[in-house]
Amino acid sequence: MKKPSNLIAGILFSLLSACSTQPITTTNATAINTAASVTTVTVDKTLPAPDLYLEKAGKTLKLVRIMEGGVCKNELQGAIGMFSLYANPDDIERIKKKHGSGIFSDFESRITEFSMLTLQQATDQLDFQNESYPSSKQDTQQQLASELTNSFMVLILDDIAKFETETTLTINVKPTSNSIIIFLDGCKTPHGH
């Protein structure tokens, strides 16, 4: 009877291994210079995938994880989306050598926690009933998603700065393009955050 459980374990391991995210690296990446302190480096603008690299304070950050988050402002209104976590590979290696790789589990928990709190703050501040929004529900959704993204990016700056100071790991968290869904007629999130 051990053979079926070994077979199931083997299949599960294969499936889990196939699901791990290993970003593709390329030597053709170019920095986009903007006035922002964090700039996106794109590999191919035609790809729907999130950007694999960012430049921040003279360091290149690599996409290390995509997180899902969703919050409700009330029973009708809320937001859900995907958020990209970037970190500096050199910092990661240095911290691994000094503290071991187990420390990153704590880092991930802290980043997830302050990211979801920031999403809640940004959603709570969002004016879902603004009369200047377009009459089309889809256009309203796009405008609200844009406002939420901008608010999130401003609100998370202090938490990122505090985290970087405490851990010496340079990071950035940003909403993944076009992944934000705004709830206007009933807020449902797939799981609690």
Side-chain angles (χ1 to χ4, degrees), residues 160-181:
I160 288 175
K162 181 180 177 186
F163 177 84
E164 289 177 335
T165 300
E166 292 173 357
T167 64
T168 71
L169 175 62
T170 306
I171 65 164
N172 195 33
V173 179
K174 69 177 227 174
T176 304
S177 301
N178 302 320
S179 74
I180 303 293
I181 298 170

Side-chain angles (χ1 to χ4, degrees), residues 54-165:
L54 293 178
E55 290 290 325
K56 179 178 180 181
K59 291 185 175 184
T60 299
L61 308 185
K62 179 179 173 182
L63 177 66
V64 293
R65 182 161 318 282
I66 296 181
M67 305 178 290
E68 175 192 38
V71 296
C72 294
K73 180 176 184 173
N74 53 46
E75 290 180 11
L76 295 176
Q77 302 160 334
I80 188 169
M82 306 300 281
F83 299 83
S84 301
L85 170 60
Y86 296 87
N88 179 264
D90 296 332
D91 291 348
I92 291 172
E93 286 307 312
R94 177 181 44 77
I95 292 167
K96 250 189 220 180
K97 286 178 184 172
K98 186 173 183 181
H99 300 287
S101 59
I103 191 129
F104 293 103
S105 176
D106 174 57
F107 288 179
E108 182 180 356
S109 296
R110 290 173 61 186
I111 293 167
T112 300
E113 183 179 336
F114 71 69
S115 296
M116 292 308 100
L117 288 173
T118 300
L119 179 60
Q120 184 69 60
Q121 289 174 326
T123 303
D124 289 345
Q125 291 178 8
L126 199 58
D127 181 3
F128 288 86
Q129 304 301 324
N130 189 328
E131 292 187 20
S132 69
Y133 291 146
S135 58
S136 158
K137 189 173 182 177
Q138 183 178 8
D139 290 342
T140 298
Q141 173 134 165
Q142 288 176 346
Q143 187 167 345
L144 285 167
S146 177
E147 288 178 22
L148 179 71
T149 298
N150 293 336
S151 180
F152 179 90
M153 295 300 293
V154 169
L155 291 170
I156 202 164
L157 290 175
D158 288 342
D159 287 323
I160 288 175
K162 181 180 177 186
F163 177 84
E164 289 177 335
T165 300

